[in-house]
Amino acid sequence: MLFNTFIVVVTVAAMELFSIVAHKYIMHGFGWGWHKSHHEERTGWFEKNDLYAVFFAGIAIALIYAGTRGHHPLEWIGAGMTAYGFLYFVAHDGLVHRRWPFTYIPRRGYLKRLYQAHRMHHAVQGKEGTVSFGFLYAPPVARLKQQLHALHQGAPRARPREGAATGLQDVPPAS
């Protein structure tokens, strides 16, 4: 049981590392066709970007199925992917994007930093010149502000959204 728990925890951590790379190079690269909807105003419950969640849920389900059919420890890897998906749903879709009734705006600590980092990711119009590609890991806000400033110096394709130079209008300054 301890080994299985270890596999789930390691998988959650590995999923965050994978997600950072996938978000930066796939979603903001050749997979922009699906992800673009996430950087635009949403109309309705769903957006094309949700297809990524469906795709990875399918992989997790397949791993759990294979693991329960004797290919251990695949079921625990699939469980870790599922746990990561749940954390993503709560933190990203709930806290940051308020896709379900969630009115809490964090004022301090890790959740505030996560909220600010993702808001800074969305402060740029388009796929170029964005910062902070993690979903559960948030670099220090001061470093992200420096990166945004450096990326926008002489970069006409990476322009801030109108009225969202930092993406932090409704969050108190970092403490």
Side-chain angles (χ1 to χ4, degrees):
M1 186 65 171
L2 203 53
F3 181 68
N4 297 338
T5 303
F6 174 76
I7 290 172
V8 171
V9 170
V10 167
T11 301
V12 169
M15 283 300 299
E16 178 64 3
L17 295 174
F18 171 79
S19 294
I20 290 169
V21 172
H23 188 190
K24 186 171 186 173
Y25 297 106
I26 296 172
M27 295 176 184
H28 281 255
F30 67 86
W32 180 249
W34 284 4
H35 189 61
K36 180 181 180 185
S37 67
H38 183 64
H39 285 263
E40 297 172 335
E41 195 69 32
R42 186 178 64 253
T43 57
W45 274 93
F46 298 103
E47 55 192 39
K48 202 172 196 178
N49 183 66
D50 294 333
L51 292 171
Y52 284 112
V54 172
F55 176 78
F56 288 115
I59 292 173
I61 291 166
L63 289 171
I64 292 169
Y65 179 80
T68 60
R69 298 296 181 266
H71 299 285
H72 305 291
L74 294 181
E75 70 270 31
W76 299 109
I77 294 170
M81 289 178 70
T82 302
Y84 182 84
F86 175 76
L87 292 171
Y88 171 91
F89 173 72
V90 170
H92 180 266
D93 287 350
L95 177 69
V96 177
H97 291 289
R98 297 187 185 118
R99 289 185 66 181
W100 41 279
F102 204 81
T103 58
Y104 174 71
I105 296 175
R107 301 290 176 194
R108 62 184 141 330
Y110 163 75
L111 290 179
K112 176 183 174 184
R113 190 164 110 180
L114 183 69
Y115 182 85
Q116 289 177 320
H118 200 74
R119 296 276 305 191
M120 291 177 80
H121 176 78
H122 283 273
V124 176
Q125 187 174 2
K127 69 178 185 174
E128 307 280 335
T130 54
V131 297
S132 187
F133 292 92
F135 295 115
L136 300 178
Y137 169 72
V141 173
R143 183 170 52 171
L144 293 175
K145 285 182 180 182
Q146 289 174 339
Q147 288 175 348
L148 266 177
H149 182 72
L151 286 168
H152 296 192
Q153 292 297 327
R157 294 177 66 192
R159 60 190 187 281
R161 288 185 188 276
E162 193 172 313
T166 65
L168 302 176
Q169 290 78 10
D170 59 350
V171 179
S175 38

